[in-house]
Structures are given as structure tokens and as C-alpha cells.
Amino acid sequence: MRELVRQNVRFFLPATNAALALRLVFILRFPGVTTDSFVYGDIAKNWLQQGIYGLSGTLEVSPTYIRLPGYPAFLAWVFAIFGMEHYQAVLLLQMFIDVGTCFVIADIARRTISTRAAKAAFLLSTLCPFLATYAAAALTETLEIFFTSVALDCAVVGLQSLDADSPQTTPWIGCGAAVAAAILLRPDGGLLLVAIALYRAWQVVRTHEVYAAGLR
């Protein structure tokens, strides 16, 4: 992907600037700091200040499992660096993460289809209003989409290395880490693990069928 970007700077640079500009518009004009955002933020704040993964009560902090720890951990990290309840910093970081997602999506298209498809996928994702809206909301969606994209990209690399008879473990380690991060953000991230596992199982069965047919 790096080589593709280097060879097509005149395409990727303005597209990236457009992506940043679109997301900045949503962040500055329509910031999505909702009730759920404050729930995540309260857990993150208590985790940092009290060492308790919980929600603030009238008298004390009560431990909770109402939310998975992925997003509160991200908020806690941002709060520790930029200041407590600094949601604007959260949204700005999500903006850059979301633009990173666009590059990952383009890499998936490059590996599975063509370089032309990669450029089209990049442009479509950078200008997608839904992704821009998610980046401007202090919720799990931006990080979930990022790790889902990374997991799929790593899975593609791993599967292609199997087809080339040169198996690589590094892509699968990256895929596993990205899937784990997706699950820690949202419980439906587990569906990603199921989808990849089922596809790999189907691929193995298909390979055996082709091999068996060749022996007949």
C-alpha cells in the first residue's frame, strides 16, 4: 500500500485532505457526545482516578460490567494525556483513526481486486458521510470499524500466503490481535472471528475437493 500511495501522491494527498476536512466539519459543527459517551467517560474516569471499573454513584463508585472495557480504556488513555473529559481530543484522534481505516480498506481492495479498485475504495470511504459521522461521535463505532478492517486485511494477507505455499504467522497474529480488540469494544465483534474461521474452514474443504477431483 505504501508503494501505491507513493506512486499516486497526487490522488491520495487531496483525497486525504478531503477526508480530514469532512470529518472536521462534523466534529466542529455536529459533535456527538451523547449519554452513552458520558457512561463510557465516567467508567474511564473512575478507572483512572479510583482504580475501579465502575460508575459514579451518590456516595461511591459501583463496579459495573455494563460496558466492555475497550472504549473506556481508549478514553482513559486520552484523558490521561489530554485532560479529564477532554472529548474534543477524543474526536480528533478518532478522525485520524478513521482516515487510517480508509487506507486499510484500500489495501484490502488492492490485495483482492486491483490497484484501481483500491483507489476507488479509498475515495468512497474518505467521502462516506456515515464514517465521518461516526468519527464525530464519542462512541465505539470508529474504533470497531478500524479493527474490523485491520483484521480482514491481515486475514487476506494470511490466506494469500497459504495459497502461495509460503504460510506466514505474522498476519494471523495481527488478525487475532485486531479481532480481540474488536471484541473488547463490542460483543458483536465476535462475529468477525466466526466469519473468518468459517471462511478458512470452507477454503480447506474446497481445497480438499479440488485435490480429490484431480486424483480421479
Side-chain angles (χ1 to χ4, degrees):
M1 188 63 195
R2 184 182 305 171
E3 186 65 20
L4 178 63
V5 173
R6 188 184 66 80
Q7 293 175 354
N8 297 272
V9 173
R10 291 184 179 180
F11 169 81
F12 283 99
L13 184 58
T16 301
N17 289 336
L20 292 171
L22 177 62
R23 284 150 182 78
L24 270 176
V25 169
F26 278 94
I27 290 171
L28 297 177
R29 297 295 300 273
F30 312 104
V33 182
T34 67
T35 301
D36 279 349
S37 305
F38 291 123
V39 171
Y40 285 114
D42 190 45
I43 294 173
K45 182 171 64 175
N46 290 325
W47 205 358
L48 276 176
Q49 296 180 335
Q50 308 293 332
I52 300 173
Y53 189 85
L55 293 170
S56 300
T58 306
L59 299 176
E60 60 182 10
V61 176
S62 301
T64 185
Y65 54 84
I66 194 173
R67 294 289 186 273
L68 290 171
Y71 199 65
F74 171 70
L75 291 181
W77 176 73
V78 176
F79 292 168
I81 296 174
F82 296 97
M84 206 60 64
E85 299 185 351
H86 199 320
Y87 288 99
Q88 189 171 42
V90 171
L91 301 185
L92 290 173
L93 281 173
Q94 288 185 175
M95 174 184 70
F96 288 107
I97 292 170
D98 195 47
V99 173
T101 299
C102 298
F103 281 98
V104 178
I105 291 172
D107 192 51
I108 295 172
R110 178 184 68 87
R111 292 180 184 278
T112 57
I113 306 177
S114 66
T115 56
R116 184 176 180 180
K119 293 167 71 174
F122 184 78
L123 187 61
L124 289 172
S125 57
T126 55
L127 300 179
C128 176
F130 299 106
L131 291 180
T133 302
Y134 294 151
L139 296 169
T140 59
E141 279 77 5
T142 294
L143 271 66
E144 181 73 12
I145 294 171
F146 172 76
F147 284 113
T148 298
S149 301
V150 170
L152 292 174
D153 197 22
C154 290
V156 168
V157 176
L159 291 169
Q160 289 179 341
S161 73
L162 293 175
D163 292 339
D165 296 325
S166 56
Q168 300 178 23
T169 58
T170 303
W172 292 112
I173 293 173
C175 180
V179 169
I183 293 173
L184 288 172
L185 285 161
R186 296 172 63 93
D188 52 11
L191 296 174
L192 181 62
L193 176 62
V194 175
I196 294 173
L198 287 176
Y199 180 82
R200 176 57 184 149
W202 174 84
Q203 189 185 49
V204 170
V205 172
R206 181 61 178 165
T207 301
H208 284 305
E209 289 178 348
V210 171
Y211 178 74
L215 293 177
R216 293 172 186 169

